Amino acid sequence: MNKITRRQALGTTAGALTVLGLAGATAHAAVTRSRSAAPATPAGTVDEVYQGRRIRIVPASGGTGDHGGHHGGHQSPGQPTVLIDGRELHVMRNADGSWISVVNHYETFSGPLPLARAAVRELQGASLVPMGGM
Amino acid sequence: MTIRKNQASLTPEEKRAFTAALLELKRTGRYDRFVTTHNGFIMSDTDSGDRVGHRSPSFLPWHRRFLLEFEAALQAVDPAVALPYWDWTADRTARSSLWAADFLGGTGRARDGQVLDGPFAYAAGKWEIAVRVDGRSYLRRALGTGVAQLPTRAEVDSVLAMPVYDAAPWNSSSGGFRNHLEGWRGANLHNRVHVWVGGQMATGVSPNDPVFWMHHAFIDKLWADWQALHPQSAYLPAAGTANVVDLHDTMRPWNDVTPADMLDHRKFYTFDTEPVPAPAGAAASQR
């Protein structure tokens, strides 16, 4: 199993991820989860190439509550960080435990991974605009 | 007095005036500020924190005020223009005149979702998507792809029949009329229409597609229809609710308007077909 640490995941540059993404072509890499799907953890660490795009999901650090401000941009408390080719996708958890993202904001998903894959399909190869850089 | 009409009944001249006013707001940069405002709220409104524009009781008064501001901007360009509404229970296919080249243009092409006809096609040179979440600067749609069917009249009527405006916990998990109309629960009305259109309409920057205004003008009309069906039902919550806009709380970003100020649309505009108030005690049996 590919054991990538959170620090490594966050430290990888967008450029390197793009290269990896291109090299991955349309192959679907195996999903790597750092933990088995424990119910208390809404999202495990994910690192996969999906339709040629590198998806990384880093679970929220510290605390389990999803209360508090939702400021986006940088790992809001209780929210995982979802990266597509190194660019962060704005995500939000609904009260019923389902998820939405800024590119599918009126459609709910069962977790960050199906949400990230839907975003890749929606993007059709386009790059996310860096959050807060609009 | 502004009269909001069903888009299907607009004359060719009314369509020309409406699209010309949209293009002028776009040219001056005014249009994109509305897109920015909407996206800011949709990203910050959360079920467990402050929520104003979406997933909360103020979804309806917030969008009523937002549309009023937009309509005023259109009327500053052309005083004869009013926001049309799109009754998607009636005009429910991609072949509707709404999507013709003389109005909003049609669906996007398969390869990249790009809209290729109508005044808002990228190639026409007057509708660049500037406020965006990804690199694409052309208007996109995928009519009927994300979800096959628009809501039906029967589904709308089942939601209009709900007598309670909204309920704790006042978010996307609530029972009541507001959340069923918004679509986080039940038949899914408003949210589903965004998904049916696809492209930017399915994203946080959904006002990039001019159909946004006509969709929300119909949602707004359904609120008025609901009020006529349930004259005894009030906006809720009334007071003292954390993170939520109560009846007399002011709403961001204006800070000078409350849900109470927005309850009677006839202060601002009428519809081509005004809802008829239900006789007392007969609300549930209407329609």
Side-chain angles (χ1 to χ4, degrees), chain B residues 231-252:
Chain B
Q232 309 304 318
S233 297
Y235 177 94
L236 295 171
T241 316
N243 296 327
V244 169
V245 181
D246 296 316
L247 179 61
H248 295 291
D249 291 346
T250 57
M251 294 186 287
R252 291 183 286 115

Side-chain angles (χ1 to χ4, degrees), chain B:
Chain B
M1 182 58 136
T2 297
I3 301 174
R4 293 190 181 171
K5 299 177 183 173
N6 188 319
Q7 61 80 25
S9 67
L10 296 187
T11 66
E13 179 47 44
E14 286 171 328
K15 292 180 184 181
R16 269 194 297 274
F18 180 62
T19 56
L22 285 165
L23 293 173
E24 177 61 11
L25 285 190
K26 183 71 171 176
R27 188 188 68 79
T28 62
R30 184 96 174 81
Y31 191 95
D32 286 339
R33 295 207 291 279
F34 285 93
V35 186
T36 299
T37 295
H38 186 269
N39 192 45
F41 275 84
I42 213 166
M43 295 211 306
S44 65
D45 294 326
T46 62
D47 279 337
S48 54
D50 278 346
R51 46 198 185 275
V52 179
H54 305 84
R55 57 180 68 238
S56 60
S58 46
F59 168 70
L60 290 169
W62 190 92
H63 281 84
R64 178 164 284 174
R65 181 63 183 79
F66 191 55
L67 264 62
L68 280 168
E69 186 177 15
F70 183 74
E71 191 172 53
L74 288 173
Q75 291 173 340
V77 174
D78 182 346
V81 168
L83 282 182
Y85 61 87
W86 169 32
D87 178 353
W88 24 255
T89 70
D91 296 301
R92 47 188 300 106
T93 76
R95 296 178 300 282
S96 161
S97 60
L98 172 65
W99 308 111
D102 71 342
F103 204 12
L104 297 192
T107 194
R109 66 180 168 192
R111 176 161 64 81
D112 59 4
Q114 185 171 169
V115 171
L116 295 177
D117 65 344
F120 310 101
Y122 184 75
K126 294 181 175 176
W127 203 261
E128 180 174 351
I129 305 300
V131 181
R132 58 196 194 223
V133 296
D134 61 61
R136 294 169 287 183
S137 53
Y138 46 85
L139 180 65
R140 293 177 294 112
R141 292 184 190 125
L143 303 182
T145 300
V147 61
Q149 298 293 331
L150 287 163
T152 64
R153 186 68 227 181
E155 286 171 323
V156 166
D157 287 342
S158 73
V159 171
L160 289 179
M162 297 178 173
V164 177
Y165 178 76
D166 207 343
W170 319 110
N171 63 18
S172 74
S173 66
S174 288
F177 167 69
R178 186 276 309 170
N179 196 37
H180 282 79
L181 178 60
E182 189 170 0
W184 300 111
R185 273 186 68 175
N188 185 355
L189 304 182
H190 153 267
N191 282 353
R192 197 200 323 178
V193 176
H194 278 274
V195 175
W196 185 90
V197 174
Q200 281 90 1
M201 260 293 271
T203 75
V205 292
S206 47
N208 273 306
D209 191 326
V211 82
F212 172 92
W213 310 103
M214 296 155 74
H215 172 35
H216 271 279
F218 185 58
I219 293 293
D220 182 84
K221 183 175 188 298
L222 292 178
W223 184 23
D225 291 344
W226 177 85
Q227 288 173 310
L229 278 170
H230 306 281
Q232 309 304 318
S233 297
Y235 177 94
L236 295 171
T241 316
N243 296 327
V244 169
V245 181
D246 296 316
L247 179 61
H248 295 291
D249 291 346
T250 57
M251 294 186 287
R252 291 183 286 115
W254 309 286
N255 298 321
D256 62 354
V257 60
T258 68
D261 298 328
M262 289 291 109
L263 296 181
D264 185 2
H265 69 280
R266 292 165 300 187
K267 291 192 291 186
F268 312 105
Y269 51 86
T270 58
F271 294 104
D272 51 2
T273 52
E274 277 291 304
V276 179
S285 64
Q286 292 295 299
R287 246 176 275 276

Side-chain angles (χ1 to χ4, degrees), chain A residues 43-124:
Chain A
T45 295
V46 172
D47 181 359
E48 71 168 13
V49 176
Y50 175 76
Q51 294 191 355
R53 308 292 295 271
R54 187 75 178 269
I55 293 173
R56 286 177 188 245
I57 300 172
V58 183
S61 56
T64 56
D66 58 353
H67 56 278
H70 184 77
H71 304 110
H74 310 281
Q75 284 188 286
S76 304
Q79 305 274 5
T81 299
V82 178
L83 300 166
I84 296 176
D85 288 348
R87 295 270 179 88
E88 187 172 354
L89 176 70
H90 186 273
V91 304
M92 186 185 293
R93 191 177 190 200
N94 296 319
D96 68 356
S98 64
W99 296 80
I100 57 174
S101 83
V102 75
V103 298
N104 293 98
H105 218 286
Y106 302 92
E107 184 179 4
T108 59
F109 298 88
S110 60
L113 182 57
L115 168 145
R117 287 174 174 171
V120 165
R121 295 192 297 272
E122 166 65 22
L123 287 167
Q124 293 184 296

